[in-house]
Amino acid sequence: MTLRWRLTVFYTALLTVLLSLVALAALILMRGSLVAGVDRQLQDTYVSLVRLAPSLNLHDPDRLDREANGEVVISRYQFPDSFIQIEELAFYDLPTLATDLQNATTPTMRGQLFKYLRDIQAVSRITIATDPDHPIELTDAQLAALIEAPDGQLKLNLPVRERFRDTPTPMRVLVRLEPLQLKSAALGSDPTLAVTYVARSLGGINTTLTNLRSVLLLLCAIGAVSAGTGAYLLAGQALGPLRLVRRAAERIGGENLTERVPVPATGDEVEALAQALNGMLGRLEQSFEAQRRFTSDASHELRTPVTAISGHASYLLRRTNPTGQQAESLKIIQSESERLTNLIASLLQLARSDSGALVLNRAPIFSGLFLREIARELAPLAQAQQTTLDVSGDDLPFEGDPDRLKQVIINLVGNALKAGARTVTLGSTLDAAGQQMHLSVQDDGPGIPADQLERLFDRFYRLEDSRSRDQGGAGLGLSIAKGIVDAHGGRIWLESDLGQGTTAHVQLPIGNVPVLDDDDVP
């Protein structure tokens, strides 16, 4: 994932989390505010019930029948939005009830106490708008908490069955345990300890919270999309100069160290990075130039004395009568001079390749004909070592520098002959897409260890057991071959199995090859 996308994902996720936390806090605060409002209404309703209860005639046995017949009774008229249930606890007062609960020290004793209380409540139950067949009931734990509550009340969310409805409704319920005057005091009635339930529907609150939740989710989604889009655009704008620097840096190699990356006038770290890169490129250019100049100058300067040494050695061998030991020494001098001349030529070629001065004379090449010509040229050398040279593959046209590529293939075949191969096969194929020419040199020599395959392309590197040391190799052949193939835009690599042989692969682009008829193919 790119830095731009990482920044986009990070800031989008961060804003989404913040918006989610804000939305959650808003929902919690709104729910708390709405529930607190309902709780205040429930308290007001209870206060009104305490004040009006003696005059409501709640013990009237015909009250529920009249309500069922559609007649609006006074109790329903006084509390149109509330649902009330009253259960008297005859023969009890608060101290006695609290004492009985404390004395019930075992689960069995508590269960018996609660059963007894429920039996009393069921006998004396009075309902206003609630279903008498499905009354509000507290669990044992809730009933114990009510008895032990310091203020004698609980606030619960319970499902309550309304009259004439088949399903319960979620409601906020205020439960009070205290004496309640249900009959007029003028008749000599005293307040009776009662459990009073005052409930209000939570439907409006739930609808409001659902709508608010939907709005907040929509806002979070819009915010996340807006944040992602904004972060992506801003990150792209901020990283735009860095992308320009990267693209320019990717184009710069050993052949074009004179180029520099653009320095954006941003006044930030990107500008400093571009300046640092340009400084580094300048130092690298100076270092590479000094190295190339040294290699080129040294090669030119060495060529003259080496030629003189070789010439004088040849003169002494032809014009004088040296002894056997002297002749052998002169031949060694002549041989080493020739090897040093070849080494100087290789160094010059590598220097030109490093500087980008390796000129390619591209021309159409027929792979089969090209490989057969190389095989004919190397046939005497192969016969001297009793090695068979074979050529396989059709005549496939591609574009390249024949002389340079010939140097590559001859080097690969020469390595195979030096390794003692008995059979060397030159081949050419075209890839499935028809865009790459594949040349190969396969031998049945001793093979190369896998850990040394890549290092063979390093300059002056030779295998420890290489026979090329005895035959004048300097370890530059594969480096030169790689430079030539790279200049063609291709790739060269080796594959080998110990004891079975080695295959050198050269992959080259087809290039601009004209359309040829069958008569054009030799």
Side-chain angles (χ1 to χ4, degrees), residues 42 45 48-49 52-53 55-58 63-85 126-131 160-165 169 171 197-201:
L42 292 176
T45 301
S48 299
L49 177 64
L52 298 175
S55 62
L56 293 178
N57 196 19
L58 296 176
R63 179 175 56 82
L64 296 180
D65 294 333
R66 287 188 285 120
E67 185 176 348
N69 292 329
E71 182 179 349
V72 179
V73 298
I74 186 171
S75 59
R76 192 59 182 148
Y77 176 79
Q78 293 291 340
F79 309 104
D81 298 323
S82 300
F83 302 85
I84 300 173
Q85 180 175 305
I126 300 172
T127 61
I128 300 177
T130 61
D131 189 347
V160 177
R161 183 76 68 90
E162 302 179 38
R163 292 204 67 189
F164 315 118
R165 288 200 179 180
T169 302
M171 292 191 184
Y197 304 85
V198 181
R200 276 183 178 263
S201 174

Side-chain angles (χ1 to χ4, degrees), residues 154-435:
L154 293 178
K155 295 174 183 176
L156 306 171
N157 293 334
L158 299 174
V160 177
R161 183 76 68 90
E162 302 179 38
R163 292 204 67 189
F164 315 118
R165 288 200 179 180
D166 297 332
T167 57
T169 302
M171 292 191 184
R172 183 70 170 174
V173 181
L174 171 64
V175 187
R176 296 292 295 262
L177 177 62
E178 63 180 9
L180 185 63
Q181 183 74 43
L182 296 177
K183 294 182 180 180
S184 175
L187 301 177
S189 175
D190 296 326
T192 306
L193 183 64
V195 179
T196 305
Y197 304 85
V198 181
R200 276 183 178 263
S201 174
L202 294 175
I205 293 178
N206 292 336
T207 301
T208 301
L209 293 176
T210 300
N211 294 335
L212 179 61
R213 187 184 301 110
S214 301
V215 172
L216 291 176
L217 286 175
L218 180 61
L219 291 177
C220 287
I222 295 174
V225 172
S226 301
T229 304
Y232 184 80
L233 296 177
L234 289 176
Q237 184 177 1
L239 297 175
L242 192 58
R243 287 198 299 272
L244 294 177
V245 172
R246 186 204 69 189
R247 291 169 185 167
E250 289 175 347
R251 293 194 301 269
I252 298 175
E255 297 79 13
N256 57 345
L257 282 175
T258 56
E259 294 189 18
R260 295 294 182 267
V261 300
V263 180
T266 56
D268 55 13
E269 290 82 357
V270 178
E271 181 178 357
L273 175 62
Q275 293 174 347
L277 285 175
N278 285 335
M280 180 188 68
L281 289 173
R283 293 189 295 273
L284 287 175
E285 181 186 6
Q286 294 175 2
S287 176
F288 272 69
E289 183 61 29
Q291 178 185 358
R292 285 196 289 260
R293 187 165 53 248
F294 170 78
T295 304
S296 179
D297 294 345
S299 300
H300 279 292
E301 294 299 326
L302 287 173
R303 179 174 291 181
T304 300
V306 169
T307 302
I309 292 172
S310 179
H312 283 287
S314 299
Y315 174 80
L316 291 174
L317 284 171
R318 292 194 312 269
R319 299 299 180 91
T320 63
N321 295 315
T323 64
Q325 186 175 2
Q326 291 172 339
E328 182 180 358
S329 296
L330 289 173
K331 289 180 181 179
I332 291 174
I333 292 174
Q334 188 178 27
S335 175
E336 291 301 314
S337 298
E338 292 176 358
R339 190 166 76 90
L340 189 55
T341 300
N342 293 332
L343 177 60
I344 292 171
S346 298
L347 289 174
L348 280 173
Q349 184 167 351
L350 285 174
R352 287 194 294 268
S353 177
D354 290 341
S355 63
L358 186 63
V359 179
L360 298 179
N361 298 316
R362 296 180 180 271
I365 302 174
F366 289 94
S367 60
L369 179 61
F370 173 69
L371 295 178
R372 286 194 294 273
E373 289 178 354
I374 295 176
R376 281 195 298 271
E377 183 176 333
L378 296 178
L381 180 61
Q383 291 174 359
Q385 294 188 197
Q386 298 182 350
T387 301
T388 302
L389 275 179
D390 295 327
V391 178
S392 63
D394 299 328
D395 277 314
L396 304 171
F398 68 100
E399 186 184 45
D401 188 327
D403 294 333
R404 299 291 186 186
L405 294 178
K406 181 179 180 181
Q407 183 180 356
V408 172
I409 301 301
I410 289 177
N411 180 275
L412 297 176
V413 175
N415 288 341
L417 295 177
K418 292 175 184 178
R422 294 304 176 190
T423 302
V424 179
T425 303
L426 310 182
S428 63
T429 57
L430 201 61
D431 71 339
Q435 300 298 320

